[in-house]
């Protein structure tokens, strides 16, 4: 398995080292800390989040900073050892190369390669590695280890003093200093055929040369499946921890990713074989049609929205575009909508449970519907004593609508009704404020805010950190006996 390689840089000196590496390994992608590093392929603002996201999306990670920073950042996402991509720490001046994770996925090979470029010795700590000089477990391209599950025992046996014989041609093991013995019980078998490993075998299979890697789009075409896929996915509010695994999977398998630039960036990082289509186009139907056109050629297309794709986002336009189309190739596309954590739910969870009873979700934008409808809905929702979540609450072009909405609320609700203002929830700049309806003014709100308005039963109380908990009880009128 090969991993796309990401280099994370935090300083100008680190950038020099990264460029030295890239000069010999042009396939790497450099991520630079915004405002500190110039000339990177991509910039990021939060090291921890970026390194976790890259790692979780299956990138080999090279961090040009202290090993401790990288380990601490990744600690909470370290899981399945088998699938772990390589992670290396490199001193920002290039003086030390330290493989940290990914012993079975080639970290030491990568460490050697980079150490050679930087003209230093890699700090390899895997005992099997040190002893045998080369990583048995990482054959060169064209060979595949058939039984990696037996490798640990195999190496332990070798380290314990057993000898080994090699059958077949394994040029990469020539300098391995293996304890060779023609009568050995352990065997390394290199073969072109599909043999089942015996006990004590480590089997490397030579792959036929005509199956060199093809992109999934080409593979689809080769296999003759003409219809592609279109997934309309919700990224959640921002933090990848809030993204469902199925979305991560389709992003990983995507040939094309479409969406507003901010969301496409949020969904990344991506490999160089994936095509990004950053659309500024405000016309949703046009974007939806574009997605079908691409998918109909047999590609795997993912369209990203923040939060949930079905809540004031792209899923509706996509389904509508399909409904309007008579093109058979569009109807043959495998269409899938994958949900996400919507802004109201993310903000609600941060503040307690303000949406714990009946509630409704309203967009205050009158771009696509008349303002009278919005006013009417707010009035009726207030009268029905629903808690509410307001999306798209205000913008430069829509300055007077939110004040009108607040006036309506004050007609129906007490001035001490709790209001939650969630801004950039799940993103590095997240803020959450709990105020009252009396205190709510439009200047505290912008397009990156979701407003939660309590019902007549919603209440709040102090929490230890100085903020407030908010909840809407599930009983109505009088509390049932408990
Ligand atoms: N599909 C999205 C909503 C898109 S409409 C979802 O389900 O969340 C855009 C509005 O959503 C913004 O104006 C804001 O009101 C709200 N919003 C989106 N992301 C947000 C976030 N991270 N924090 C607070 N509000 C957010």
């Amino acid at each position: 398995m090969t991993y796309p390689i990401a280099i994370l840089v935090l300083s100008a000196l680190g950038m020099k080292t990264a460029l030295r590496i890239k000069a010999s390994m042009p396939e790497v992608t450099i991520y630079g800390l915004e405002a500190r590093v110039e000339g990177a392929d991509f910039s990021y603002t939060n090291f921890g989040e970026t390194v976790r996201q890259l790692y979780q999306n299956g990138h080999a990670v090279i961090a040009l900073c202290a090993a401790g920073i990288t380990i601490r950042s990744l600690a909470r996402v370290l899981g399945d050892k088998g699938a772990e991509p390589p992670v290396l720490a490199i001193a920002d001046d290039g003086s030390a190369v330290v493989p940290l994770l990914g012993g079975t996925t080639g970290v030491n090979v990568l460490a050697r390669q980079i150490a050679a470029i930087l003209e230093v010795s890699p700090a390899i700590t895997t005992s099997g590695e040190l002893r045998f000089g080369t990583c048995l477990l990482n054959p060169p391209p064209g060979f595949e280890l058939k039984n990696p599950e037996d490798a640990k025992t195999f190496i332990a046996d070798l380290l314990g003093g057993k000898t080994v014989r090699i059958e077949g041609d394994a040029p990469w093991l020539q300098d391995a200093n293996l304890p060779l013995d023609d009568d050995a019980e352990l065997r390394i078998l290199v073969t072109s055929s599909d043999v089942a490993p015996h006990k004590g075998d480590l089997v490397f299979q030579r792959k036929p040369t005509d199956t060199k890697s093809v992109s999934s789009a080409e593979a689809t075409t080769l296999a003759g499946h003409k219809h592609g896929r279109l997934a309309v996915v919700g990224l959640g509010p921002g933090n990848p921890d809030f993204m469902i695994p199925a979305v991560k999977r389709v992003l990983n398998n995507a040939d094309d990713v479409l969406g507003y630039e901010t969301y496409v960036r949020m969904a990344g990082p991506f490999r160089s074989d994936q095509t990004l289509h950053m659309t500024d186009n405000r016309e949703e139907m046009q974007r939806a049609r574009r997605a079908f056109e691409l998918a109909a050629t047999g590609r795997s297309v993912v369209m990203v929205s923040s939060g949930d794709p079905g809540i004031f986002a792209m899923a509706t336009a996509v389904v509508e575009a399909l409904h309007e189309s008579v093109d058979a190739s569009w109807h043959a596309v495998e269409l899938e909508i994958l949900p996400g954590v919507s802004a109201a739910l993310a903000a609600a969870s941060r503040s307690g449970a303000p949406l714990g009873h009946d509630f409704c979700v309203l967009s205050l934008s009158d771009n696509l519907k008349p303002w009278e409808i919005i006013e009417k809905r707010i009035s009726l929702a207030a009268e029905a004593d629903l808690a509410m979540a307001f999306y798209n609450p205000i913008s430069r072009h829509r300055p007077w609508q939110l004040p009108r909405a607040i006036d309506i609320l004050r007609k129906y609700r007490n001035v001490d009704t709790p209001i939650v203002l969630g801004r950039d929830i799940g993103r590095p700049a997240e803020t959450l404020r709990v105020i009252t309806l009396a205190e709510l003014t439009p200047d505290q709100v912008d397009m990156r805010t979701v407003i939660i308005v309590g019902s007549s039963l919603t209440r709040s109380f102090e929490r230890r950190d100085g903020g407030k908990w908010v909840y809407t009880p599930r009983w109505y009128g009088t509390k049932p006996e408990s």
Side-chain angles (χ1 to χ4, degrees):
M1 172 142 190
T2 56
Y3 296 86
I5 303 174
I7 304 191
L8 273 87
V9 182
L10 288 136
S11 65
L13 181 57
M15 188 63 195
K16 278 193 186 163
T17 306
L19 289 172
R20 279 173 70 196
I21 297 169
K22 189 161 176 135
S24 303
M25 299 171 66
E27 72 274 19
V28 304
T29 307
I30 301 179
Y31 296 80
L33 180 60
E34 196 169 272
R36 293 268 196 85
V37 175
E38 275 174 30
D41 300 316
F42 290 102
S43 58
Y44 65 86
T45 48
N46 183 309
F47 177 81
E49 269 173 26
T50 310
V51 74
R52 280 191 292 277
Q53 202 175 356
L54 286 161
Y55 177 84
Q56 288 181 309
N57 291 355
H59 287 243
V61 173
I62 299 174
L64 277 152
C65 64
I69 298 178
T70 310
I71 291 169
R72 250 188 286 282
S73 303
L74 286 177
R76 72 171 98 140
V77 296
L78 296 182
D80 177 11
K81 189 160 183 278
E84 170 173 277
V87 178
L88 288 106
I90 297 187
D92 62 359
D93 62 359
S95 61
V97 175
V98 188
L100 298 175
L101 298 167
T104 59
T105 50
V107 73
N108 293 334
V109 174
L110 191 58
R112 283 212 175 75
Q113 195 181 351
I114 292 172
I117 296 168
L118 299 174
E119 299 174 332
V120 294
S121 305
I124 290 183
T125 53
T126 326
S127 53
E129 270 290 302
L130 281 177
R131 175 76 188 270
F132 303 118
T134 191
C135 193
L136 259 179
L137 308 182
N138 291 285
F143 295 88
E144 183 191 20
L145 175 56
K146 288 272 295 178
N147 54 335
E149 65 281 3
D150 298 330
K152 211 171 159 187
T153 316
F154 194 94
I155 290 191
D157 285 347
L158 283 180
L159 289 170
K162 288 198 177 165
T163 54
V164 61
R165 62 203 155 94
I166 301 180
E167 271 176 38
D169 194 15
W172 75 95
L173 294 179
Q174 256 162 23
D175 304 320
N177 295 325
L178 289 168
L180 296 177
D181 176 356
D182 285 346
D183 299 324
E185 168 194 340
L186 298 180
R187 175 173 77 149
I188 293 170
L189 179 61
V190 185
T191 169
S192 314
S193 41
D194 197 10
V195 299
H198 289 118
K199 190 171 180 296
D201 277 356
L202 210 53
V203 179
F204 294 96
Q205 189 175 353
R206 201 178 289 113
K207 294 181 224 155
T209 43
D210 64 356
T211 59
K212 63 177 190 301
S213 68
V214 287
S215 76
S216 54
E218 284 168 311
T220 315
T221 317
L222 287 176
H225 299 300
K226 273 278 174 279
H227 52 91
R229 296 160 171 274
L230 174 56
V232 189
V233 307
L235 301 174
N239 185 327
D241 282 354
F242 278 29
M243 194 193 289
I244 69 168
V247 169
K248 291 187 187 176
R249 215 157 35 234
V250 296
L251 285 170
N252 196 37
N253 294 332
D255 297 314
D256 297 271
V257 181
L258 278 80
Y260 278 129
E261 179 165 355
T262 326
Y263 303 147
V264 173
R265 295 229 180 275
M266 212 162 94
F270 294 100
R271 300 182 304 270
S272 54
D273 64 317
Q274 297 180 299
T275 310
L276 310 184
H277 308 258
M278 321 272 200
T279 51
D280 290 327
N281 190 350
R282 307 204 108 237
E283 228 302 358
E284 293 191 341
M285 291 306 286
Q286 264 173 27
R287 271 191 276 158
R289 288 188 206 106
R290 172 95 187 99
F292 273 109
E293 278 162 13
L294 268 172
T297 67
R299 298 174 73 82
S300 282
V301 179
V302 177
M303 175 165 272
V304 297
S305 290
S306 80
D308 182 88
I311 299 186
F312 312 127
M314 280 306 294
T316 329
V318 167
V319 180
E320 192 174 349
L322 184 62
H323 190 187
E324 285 174 358
S325 167
V326 291
D327 187 332
S329 70
W330 287 23
H331 287 270
V333 166
E334 278 181 48
L335 174 63
E336 182 177 37
I337 323 289
L338 295 174
V341 175
S342 193
L345 306 186
S349 68
R350 293 285 205 237
S351 63
L355 305 179
H357 196 72
D358 298 344
F359 71 96
C360 69
V361 165
L362 295 168
S363 167
L364 296 196
S365 166
D366 55 356
N367 289 338
L368 299 168
K369 61 186 168 186
W371 177 251
E372 298 72 57
I373 297 278
I374 299 173
E375 282 205 357
K376 186 171 177 187
R377 288 189 179 160
I378 298 170
S379 302
L380 292 174
E383 195 184 329
D385 201 22
L386 295 168
M388 294 173 228
F390 291 162
Y391 286 61
N392 300 312
I394 197 166
S395 80
R396 242 179 308 137
H397 307 290
R398 295 184 288 106
W400 54 264
Q401 287 87 336
L402 180 60
R404 284 286 307 135
I406 296 173
D407 286 345
I408 297 169
L409 292 175
R410 287 188 181 138
K411 279 196 213 146
Y412 294 89
R413 290 279 202 283
N414 276 333
V415 288
D416 58 0
T417 303
I419 303 283
V420 177
L421 301 178
R423 184 171 192 269
D424 277 333
I425 299 295
R427 301 175 190 169
E430 166 167 340
T431 57
L432 186 91
R433 302 175 59 195
V434 177
I435 57 173
T436 63
L437 183 54
E439 290 162 346
L440 176 59
T441 52
D443 58 296
Q444 305 167 67
V445 176
D446 65 8
M447 266 305 268
R448 285 149 68 182
T449 310
V450 62
I451 305 179
I452 297 177
V453 180
S455 75
S456 66
L457 288 179
T458 306
R459 52 205 49 201
S460 76
F461 61 98
E462 305 292 324
R463 62 201 237 179
R464 257 170 48 159
D465 63 6
K468 280 187 176 132
W469 287 116
V470 187
Y471 70 103
T472 305
R474 295 184 59 202
W475 46 266
Y476 221 88
T478 48
K479 186 175 178 137
E481 291 300 319
S482 53

